[in-house]
Amino acid sequence: MNALDHSHLIATLWRMGYFVNTTIVGEQGENIVIQKAGEESDNPLIYNNACICIDGKTCMGNVMLGSAAEDCTSAILRLVEESVPRLMSLEGELIPQAVVTIPQEISTRYEELINSDIKECPCGKIVAAMDSLHKTDLFTRLVVSRLQRKCHVVERAYIEGHSNWCQAMYAMLFRAMGDHKNQEAFQLLANKVPIHILSRERGNGNNVEIMLVGASGLLKRYCSSSHTRQIMEDFAYLARKHSIVPMRGGEWVLKGINPNNHPLLRISQLAAYVSNTNFIFDKIIACRNADDIQALLGSGEGKVSEYWQTHFTPNKRTSRRPKTLGHDKINLLGINLAVPLIFAYGRYLQNEDTKERALDLLEKLKVESNYITRHWTAHGVTLSSSFDSQAVIELENSFCANHNCWKCPIGRKEIKKAANIRLIQKK
């Protein structure tokens, strides 16, 4: 392990009270007794309001954990695993420092976790062996954490939409429709052509599609197409009429995009949906199950205009295909659009029942199938609904992908298990 890993392991042990009620000898020969670990701060390597006793003198303040901890001049103690230059306090005195030895069985288990290959899904067998009660508790914490983070995106859409929930819903619909590489670009497009402008042009031929495709800035890439040139002319008029400032076009990622996820195709599907569906905020908040999601989000069918039935991009003609939204895509819209909106709205209202309905809806939507869920099912983890698949996606993306075992609930539990074994052996 490197110094940073040592630091986080020391902090993890400190957090679980491993050093409390133990005596540590400082580098200057001081007898240091840890009486209270204190409270976590914004910095995981610094704890506030810790209580220690140095040579009989009680001190309260911040404790720095590991050599990677940032300089904290108000600290009363620094714990490291190997001696490093000592730091000065604001008063110009050396901050007490102690070298701690981490038992081999603890460091070995930690190294096994952080050095494991993510493709091997090292914690898959641990989760698969959990009883239903502990697994439910773990998955619930993971899903709530994921939804709370998604709430920030919804809240940003609400603020950018001038505190209008319908505009927030519309922006989140755009975000959810695109490939993950283009989520921000789709949300920007929704702000460039807000829902109240599109509502004025519903029923006026292909004006909704013209405004969205034109505002995307993507047509500059396909100027040789006669269809494109006509769209650009029509858009110029509508842009003047509604004061639309188009995107530059460079905001979109096109490299490596599956043709079915090409932004122009998705935009045309969105245009068809918005043109043909009375998609209001109250309806999505009222969704209770998978049938409600399919009925609401599948009602417009995402069927594209005549031109796009024979094209994926303006320059390439293909065989005729209606290019409607499939059940799997609508299921994903339920997961990535309806559920975060309901949860965020419940948080806005400070209504726990509404937030709980978002969790209930996740349990009624189908499991996602992607490389992450396949990692976990291959190691015996049963995924029964999108609630479960969202939990393992959160676990892998937030912890496994960056080897953040020191803050992962499973990693911490494994470290604690190793630490408890050591304590039992000591007894």
Side-chain angles (χ1 to χ4, degrees):
M1 286 187 298
N2 57 36
L4 178 61
D5 292 326
H6 282 165
S7 298
H8 283 300
L9 179 53
I10 291 171
T12 301
L13 292 170
W14 182 274
R15 178 182 183 272
M16 62 181 61
Y18 182 80
F19 298 106
V20 173
N21 295 326
T22 60
T23 300
I24 301 169
V25 179
E27 290 191 338
Q28 301 301 307
E30 315 99 313
N31 283 321
I32 303 170
V33 180
I34 313 300
Q35 296 179 330
K36 188 176 75 170
E39 306 153 0
E40 290 184 82
S41 70
D42 293 336
N43 185 330
L45 301 181
I46 295 177
Y47 269 65
N48 299 330
N49 300 320
C51 182
I52 64 174
C53 183
I54 302 178
D55 288 338
K57 181 182 177 182
T58 300
C59 307
M60 290 196 67
N62 301 329
V63 172
M64 302 172 65
L65 302 166
S67 57
E70 297 175 3
D71 190 353
C72 178
T73 53
S74 60
I76 57 173
L77 176 65
R78 187 187 195 191
L79 287 189
V80 292
E81 198 175 24
E82 56 184 28
S83 186
V84 294
R86 294 174 66 187
L87 300 174
M88 288 282 189
S89 68
L90 283 172
E91 292 75 25
E93 298 178 355
L94 288 171
I95 294 173
Q97 180 167 290
V99 175
V100 293
T101 300
I102 299 175
Q104 186 63 46
E105 55 267 38
I106 297 176
S107 59
T108 296
R109 182 60 183 135
Y110 186 63
E111 288 175 8
E112 288 173 351
L113 291 170
I114 66 169
N115 292 328
S116 58
D117 185 348
I118 185 174
K119 294 179 182 178
E120 296 300 319
C121 197
C123 295
K125 291 180 180 179
I126 297 173
V127 176
M130 285 182 178
D131 60 59
S132 59
L133 183 63
H134 286 92
K135 179 183 171 184
T136 299
D137 177 64
L138 171 66
F139 279 15
T140 300
R141 282 185 286 147
L142 289 166
V143 168
V144 169
S145 176
R146 185 169 180 80
L147 282 175
Q148 286 175 336
R149 190 169 59 257
K150 287 187 175 184
C151 271
H152 297 312
V153 180
V154 178
E155 288 161 0
R156 190 189 87 195
Y158 176 71
I159 292 169
E160 290 176 351
H162 305 289
S163 302
N164 184 310
W165 278 107
C166 286
Q167 174 62 26
M169 171 198 65
Y170 165 75
M172 291 302 295
L173 169 64
F174 273 51
R175 185 182 180 91
M177 271 291 283
D179 182 275
H180 71 278
K181 298 176 183 177
N182 285 307
Q183 288 178 338
E184 291 296 326
F186 270 101
Q187 190 166 345
L188 177 58
L189 177 60
N191 291 333
K192 290 287 185 178
V193 192
I195 188 65
H196 71 270
I197 289 179
L198 291 186
S199 298
R200 295 174 195 167
E201 297 293 341
R202 287 180 66 183
N204 290 335
N206 288 335
N207 282 5
V208 168
E209 182 177 306
I210 291 168
M211 286 192 295
L212 290 174
V213 171
S216 73
L218 286 168
L219 292 182
K220 299 171 187 176
R221 297 171 181 257
Y222 307 101
C223 292
S224 61
S225 164
S226 59
H227 176 79
T228 297
R229 290 194 297 271
Q230 184 60 56
I231 292 288
M232 292 177 76
E233 288 179 17
D234 295 340
F235 173 69
Y237 164 73
L238 291 168
R240 287 194 300 271
K241 179 181 177 181
H242 296 291
S243 301
I244 299 171
V245 179
M247 297 167 66
R248 297 186 303 275
E251 299 92 340
W252 301 93
V253 176
L254 300 181
K255 186 176 181 180
I257 297 293
N258 185 296
N260 286 314
N261 267 330
H262 193 285
L264 282 175
L265 177 58
R266 289 303 189 196
I267 290 169
S268 67
Q269 289 175 322
L270 282 164
Y273 191 87
V274 173
S275 297
N276 299 311
T277 308
N278 186 20
F279 187 42
I280 58 176
F281 181 69
D282 289 346
K283 286 185 178 180
I284 201 164
I285 295 301
C287 286
R288 296 290 190 276
N289 52 49
D291 289 340
D292 290 343
I293 293 294
Q294 290 289 334
L296 177 62
L297 299 177
S299 59
E301 297 185 352
K303 187 174 180 179
V304 297
S305 60
E306 179 67 22
Y307 178 83
W308 288 102
Q309 291 185 39
T310 56
H311 290 78
F312 281 108
T313 62
N315 288 345
K316 295 181 180 179
R317 189 177 181 87
T318 65
S319 58
R320 177 177 292 276
R321 291 176 59 190
K323 300 184 177 74
T324 56
L325 297 179
H327 278 258
D328 287 345
K329 182 62 178 180
I330 294 170
N331 188 70
L332 286 174
L333 288 176
I335 295 168
N336 297 315
L337 169 65
V339 170
L341 272 172
I342 295 170
F343 193 87
Y345 191 58
R347 193 158 88 160
Y348 170 78
L349 296 175
Q350 297 184 336
N351 186 311
E352 291 300 318
D353 288 341
T354 302
K355 290 164 66 177
E356 194 66 35
R357 280 201 286 108
L359 299 177
D360 290 342
L361 180 56
L362 263 185
E363 291 182 339
K364 293 169 183 173
L365 294 174
K366 192 172 66 172
V367 172
E368 298 146 274
S369 177
N370 54 45
Y371 74 94
I372 292 178
T373 58
R374 288 191 288 272
H375 276 175
W376 294 85
T377 55
H379 286 80
V381 179
T382 301
L383 304 179
S384 304
S385 68
S386 64
F387 185 94
D388 296 340
S389 56
Q390 284 286 289
V392 296
I393 289 170
E394 175 69 8
L395 192 58
E396 184 153 327
N397 286 343
S398 293
F399 304 111
C400 306
N402 298 311
H403 297 281
N404 285 331
C405 306
W406 57 274
K407 62 180 180 181
C408 169
I410 296 175
R412 284 178 169 176
K413 187 174 181 179
E414 288 298 297
I415 294 167
K416 186 173 184 179
K417 188 187 298 182
N420 284 340
I421 291 172
R422 174 67 181 181
L423 290 174
I424 292 170
Q425 290 174 344
K426 285 169 67 176
K427 290 179 182 179

